[in-house]
Amino acid sequence: MTTSATAATAITDGLAAAPIVSVKPIVLPAPERGEDLHVRVSAPVTGRDLPIVVFAHGFGSNLDGYAPLTDYWAAHGFVVIQATHLDSRRLN
């Protein structure tokens, strides 16, 4: 499992960006799926009762795809969950 803390300030929109933490991969057993489910969770370092976004990629991406976008959401107060779906090129 990898944990990384990032100060998400790459995108500016006039709103204060908070430092975030991302944890990956979190592996959830899913024997009926054929592959365990690997997810990445990103969230602000501080906060309570935060809204959750479940981000479903498409087109063969994976839990690392769209990280700049999901990190932006996390830096602005959301917990973001990204999964590697079965159509991911990473799973062959």
Side-chain angles (χ1 to χ4, degrees), residues 6 8 10 17 30 34 43-46 52 63 66 69 79 81 87:
T6 308
V45 173
T46 61
I52 298 172
L63 63 90
Y66 301 94
L69 175 62
V79 174
I81 301 169
D87 71 345

Side-chain angles (χ1 to χ4, degrees), residues 19-73:
I20 67 166
V21 62
S22 294
V23 180
K24 70 172 189 174
I26 298 171
V27 180
L28 305 173
E32 66 285 347
R33 184 176 184 257
E35 292 279 342
D36 289 342
L37 180 61
H38 291 224
V39 299
R40 176 181 188 253
V41 178
S42 302
V45 173
T46 61
R48 297 186 69 193
D49 300 322
L50 300 171
I52 298 172
V53 173
V54 177
F55 182 76
H57 66 77
F59 307 109
S61 189
N62 56 59
L63 63 90
D64 295 314
Y66 301 94
L69 175 62
T70 58
D71 287 352
Y72 174 85
W73 290 337

Side-chain angles (χ1 to χ4, degrees), residues 7-23:
T9 56
I11 301 174
T12 303
D13 64 359
L15 298 175
I20 67 166
V21 62
S22 294
V23 180

